[in-house]
């Protein structure tokens, strides 16, 4: 039986490829568990500077696994199941390292949530993003409502969710959700090329930048400045800061070690 998740590490990038092509990489319990484990392993691995999440086959992710849904389940059973699955987007958001999703085919439902939860999105130009919960009489999950509300105007979020229509990669790009459109047909290669500024950057600084930006809306201006000052006072003590300043003075590229 094929593994539901392919994992490889190359040139300081961890590649996580969802591998349920016959189910369009819908999120089964096994796949969710494998993804959580792989993300946590990559976070602990000092040789990994960035993570690229992709899907095998014709689509990135079709959302939740319909086959595993039980119509007769009690509200508590559904709540317990959703609580376990929703840890996935929370983990991506809170991960110390940057996650890049390479999206193709379509990202539907929970697949849309995965893309929104990641730090950067590279999408094949023909990708479709879909929030089709209305078609089965349900509401969005896996953090999709909050993630949409944080990333696009409220009226846009309402239209996408209530209509359930297919949204083109170009339209999503214009809303700032997609960082780059892949025109070449080599999506993973384009995502790898995009990831280089993360790989070559200072890991400790990247960690704090992700945290501060992800939580910036929670801070007042005064608290935001205080947070920056506290972090900066720590950053000046790191070897990476000393290396960066020295490299600047010597007019050469810095060699950050994450220390």
């Amino acid at each position: 039986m094929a593994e539901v998740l392919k994992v490889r590490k190359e040139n300081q990038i961890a590649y996580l490829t969802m591998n349920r092509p016959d189910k369009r990489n819908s999120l089964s319990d096994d796949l969710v568990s494998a993804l959580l484990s792989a993300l946590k392993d990559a976070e602990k691995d000092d040789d990994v500077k960035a993570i690229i999440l992709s899907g095998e086959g014709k689509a990135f992710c079709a959302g939740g696994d319909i086959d595993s849904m039980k119509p007769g389940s009690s509200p508590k059973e559904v709540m317990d199941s959703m609580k376990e699955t929703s840890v996935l987007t929370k983990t991506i958001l809170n991960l110390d390292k940057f996650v890049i999703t390479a999206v193709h085919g379509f990202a539907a439902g929970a697949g849309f949530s995965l893309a929104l939860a990641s730090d950067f999105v590279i999408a094949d130009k023909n990708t479709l993003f879909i929030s089709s919960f209305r078609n089965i009489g349900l509401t969005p999950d896996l953090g999709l409502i909050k993630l949409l509300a944080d990333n696009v105007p409220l009226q846009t979020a309402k239209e996408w969710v209530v209509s359930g229509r297919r949204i083109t990669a170009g339209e999503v790009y214009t809303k700032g959700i997609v960082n780059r459109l892949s025109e070449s047909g080599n999506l993973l290669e384009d995502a790898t090329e995009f990831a280089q500024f993360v790989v070559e950057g200072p890991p400790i600084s990247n960690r704090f930048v992700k945290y501060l930006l992800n939580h910036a809306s929670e801070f007042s201006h005064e608290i935001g400045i205080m947070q920056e000052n506290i972090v900066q006072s720590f950053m000046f003590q790191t070897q990476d800061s000393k290396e960066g300043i020295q490299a600047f003075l010597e007019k050469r590229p810095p060699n950050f070690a994450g220390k």
Side-chain angles (χ1 to χ4, degrees):
M1 184 177 178
E3 294 186 10
V4 295
L5 182 70
K6 294 180 180 178
V7 180
R8 68 181 174 91
K9 184 175 70 174
E10 184 176 333
N11 297 326
Q12 298 185 299
I13 298 175
Y15 294 87
L16 311 184
T17 305
M18 295 179 285
N19 189 36
R20 301 186 74 217
D22 57 321
K23 299 293 185 180
R24 297 182 179 179
N25 300 314
S26 58
L27 296 176
S28 63
D29 290 343
D30 287 348
L31 179 52
V32 170
S33 178
L35 277 169
L36 287 172
S37 179
L39 287 166
K40 291 173 183 176
D41 286 346
E43 182 174 45
K44 292 183 291 185
D45 191 337
D46 291 338
D47 291 331
V48 171
K49 299 286 186 66
I51 299 163
I52 294 180
L53 175 63
S54 62
E56 193 70 62
K58 296 181 179 181
F60 170 68
C61 177
D65 186 3
I66 295 292
D67 292 341
S68 66
M69 298 179 185
K70 302 174 182 178
S73 299
S74 68
K76 181 183 183 304
E77 289 172 328
V78 174
M79 178 70 79
D80 290 344
S81 176
M82 293 308 307
K83 186 176 181 180
E84 292 177 8
T85 307
S86 61
V87 171
L88 188 53
T89 46
K90 184 178 179 180
T91 297
I92 292 173
L93 287 165
N94 293 333
L95 212 66
D96 286 340
K97 297 176 181 178
F98 285 123
V99 178
I100 301 159
T101 50
V103 187
H104 76 289
F106 56 82
F112 200 169
S113 296
L114 290 180
L116 286 166
S118 66
D119 302 291
F120 309 103
V121 181
I122 312 300
D124 179 89
K125 64 179 181 179
N126 296 313
T127 303
L128 296 172
F129 294 81
I130 311 167
S131 172
S132 55
F133 295 91
R134 69 179 298 280
N135 296 335
I136 52 176
L138 297 175
T139 53
D141 54 30
L142 218 68
L144 185 58
I145 287 180
K146 172 64 174 171
L147 290 165
L148 278 174
D150 284 348
N151 283 280
V152 299
L154 186 58
Q155 290 82 357
T156 299
K158 288 177 180 177
E159 178 202 341
W160 287 359
V161 171
V162 177
S163 70
R165 69 177 177 85
R166 298 185 172 197
I167 311 153
T168 66
E171 184 177 354
V172 176
Y173 176 74
T174 63
K175 298 299 182 183
I177 293 173
V178 169
N179 296 87
R180 298 282 169 82
L181 289 175
S182 176
E183 304 274 352
S184 67
N186 297 309
L187 178 63
L188 207 56
E189 289 84 348
D190 289 346
T192 299
E193 181 180 353
F194 179 88
Q196 293 313 302
F197 74 91
V198 175
V199 172
E200 295 167 3
I204 302 174
S205 173
N206 282 345
R207 173 180 180 178
F208 282 110
V209 166
K210 174 172 178 173
Y211 176 85
L212 290 171
L213 283 173
N214 279 357
H215 294 275
S217 63
E218 302 168 18
F219 306 144
S220 67
H221 184 68
E222 291 77 10
I223 293 176
I225 288 176
M226 179 59 73
Q227 292 273 8
E228 291 174 354
N229 293 345
I230 291 170
V231 170
Q232 196 75 304
S233 65
F234 167 76
M235 292 304 304
F236 268 108
Q237 312 307 314
T238 64
Q239 291 183 29
D240 279 353
S241 172
K242 295 177 175 63
E243 162 63 13
I245 293 171
Q246 191 64 33
F248 176 80
L249 295 173
E250 295 175 0
K251 295 180 171 56
R252 61 173 174 80
N255 182 22
F256 296 119
K259 297 180 181 178

